[in-house]
């Protein structure tokens, strides 16, 4: 039976490998500037990116508020706000963890106040702003077949049936204390082997069979793309190295849930 499964997986793998490596979402950008963006490649995906090595090397503490949904994001209809919040939580946590591994002290919230009364921490070196630009749901049936194959076929990769594949688009930038852009990336991908996604299998439980399973897979792929951009920019520099306290990146669930909770003072009378 296993031999037959491997034989079946081969054409699927070939089809996945010949599929387009990325998808694009033609939406207005949320970046403060796109002038410095240049074509790049992350895990065989074409991206647009920019990084200021010297500026990034001097940063140790980054403020990362929850990932947002871009105002004009291209998102499949009928996705409940709670499901979009789940995507925001996953992305926020993955980006936080990846930047922590890159040597930053990542902070999901600010604790101090500026003279103008705004939230502010004096030791923050920069702010990371990230927004979802597009979401394509995956087909649950074809994704289920892929997940079953992923559990049956040995190896680190999950063969994908090249139908009904989900996609995710995200863009992010890092701003210094003066609001100057020091890094930025525009990224979008379908979830297949070429993207580095598609690693979820039936062994991951019910979440492997939802219509946002591919999007959740791609969250960490985007986080790695941003982290790799920053790592490469800081390489060879006398960079500041700090640490993110354990458990910090788990804060985003509560932060995003709080955003979604109506303010009693704003309720209609």
């Amino acid at each position: 039976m296993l031999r037959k499964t491997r034989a079946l997986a081969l054409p699927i793998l070939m089809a996945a490998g010949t599929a387009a490596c990325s998808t694009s979402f033609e939406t207005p950008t949320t970046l403060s500037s796109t002038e410095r963006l240049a074509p790049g490649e992350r895990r065989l995906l074409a991206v647009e990116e920019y990084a200021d090595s010297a500026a990034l090397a001097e940063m140790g503490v980054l403020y990362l508020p929850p990932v947002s949904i871009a105002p004009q994001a291209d998102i499949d209809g009928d996705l409940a706000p709670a499901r979009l919040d789940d995507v925001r939580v996953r992305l926020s946590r993955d980006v936080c963890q990846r930047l922590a591994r890159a040597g930053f002290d990542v902070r999901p919230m600010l604790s101090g106040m500026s003279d103008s009364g705004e939230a502010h921490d004096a030791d923050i070196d920069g702010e990371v702003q990230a927004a979802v630009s597009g979401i394509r749901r995956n087909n649950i049936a074809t994704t289920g077949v892929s997940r079953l194959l992923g559990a049956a076929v040995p190896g680190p990769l999950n063969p994908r049936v090249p139908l009904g594949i989900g996609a995710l688009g995200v863009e992010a930038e890092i701003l210094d204390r003066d609001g100057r852009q020091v890094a930025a990336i525009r990224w979008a991908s379908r979830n297949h082997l070429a993207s580095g996604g598609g690693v979820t299998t039936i062994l991951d439980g019910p979440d492997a069979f939802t219509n946002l399973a591919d999007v959740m897979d791609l969250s960490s792929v985007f986080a790695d793309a941003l982290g790799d951009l920053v790592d490469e920019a800081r390489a060879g520099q006398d960079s500041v190295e700090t640490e993110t306290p354990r458990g910090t990146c788990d804060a985003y669930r509560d932060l995003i849930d709080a955003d979604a909770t109506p303010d009693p003072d704003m309720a209609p009378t």
Side-chain angles (χ1 to χ4, degrees):
M1 181 64 182
L2 183 57
R3 185 172 299 174
K4 290 182 180 179
T5 304
R6 287 177 177 171
L8 176 63
L10 181 59
I12 293 174
L13 282 167
M14 292 176 65
T18 57
C21 289
S22 65
T23 187
S24 60
F25 294 96
E26 301 299 327
T27 57
T29 185
T30 62
L31 301 178
S32 60
S33 174
T34 59
E35 292 180 358
R36 299 182 181 87
L37 293 180
E41 184 179 287
R42 298 288 163 190
R43 296 193 180 189
L44 304 180
L45 295 174
V47 301
E48 294 178 275
E49 61 185 25
Y50 163 73
D52 182 331
S53 297
L56 288 169
E58 296 177 356
M59 291 183 165
V61 183
L62 294 177
Y63 169 46
L64 172 64
V67 173
S68 64
I69 304 294
Q72 299 184 55
D74 183 358
I75 295 176
D76 282 347
D78 301 326
L79 280 176
R83 301 296 308 285
L84 293 178
D85 284 347
D86 289 341
V87 174
R88 294 177 60 209
V89 170
R90 177 67 66 88
L91 272 166
S92 300
R93 187 177 67 233
D94 286 345
V95 171
C96 176
Q97 291 174 343
R98 182 60 183 88
L99 292 176
R101 294 198 303 273
F104 293 99
D105 175 0
V106 183
R107 300 186 184 177
M109 63 189 78
L110 300 175
S111 58
M113 299 293 290
S114 67
D115 293 338
S116 62
E118 298 180 349
H120 174 74
D121 283 3
D123 59 344
I124 293 290
D125 297 312
E127 178 175 344
V128 185
Q129 297 180 350
V132 174
S133 58
I135 290 177
R136 290 285 177 269
R137 294 173 295 184
N138 52 272
N139 180 284
I140 295 177
T142 56
T143 299
V145 174
S146 298
R147 300 324 194 200
L148 291 168
L149 284 172
V153 179
L157 298 178
N158 175 14
R160 289 308 311 270
V161 176
L163 297 171
I165 297 175
L168 174 68
V170 193
E171 56 185 24
E173 64 183 349
I174 301 177
L175 308 174
D176 67 11
R177 293 178 180 175
D178 299 322
R180 183 177 66 92
Q181 185 184 79
V182 298
I185 185 170
R186 299 189 75 184
W187 176 99
S189 177
R190 299 173 69 212
N191 192 30
H192 44 62
L193 298 180
S195 71
V199 296
T200 304
T201 73
I202 187 176
L203 303 178
D204 291 280
D207 287 344
F209 296 92
T210 72
N211 61 5
L212 288 180
D214 282 346
V215 168
M216 295 303 196
D217 267 359
L218 289 168
S219 171
S220 63
V221 183
F222 167 73
D224 282 340
L226 175 60
D228 291 348
L229 171 65
V230 173
D231 270 341
E232 291 171 12
R234 284 160 57 95
Q237 303 282 329
D238 185 15
S239 301
V240 175
E241 293 285 339
T242 54
E243 293 185 358
T244 300
R246 184 180 298 274
T248 295
C249 300
D250 295 331
Y252 289 100
R253 176 81 269 174
D254 289 341
L255 288 174
I256 290 174
D257 283 349
D259 283 346
T261 302
D263 187 339
D265 294 335
M266 300 297 292
T269 58

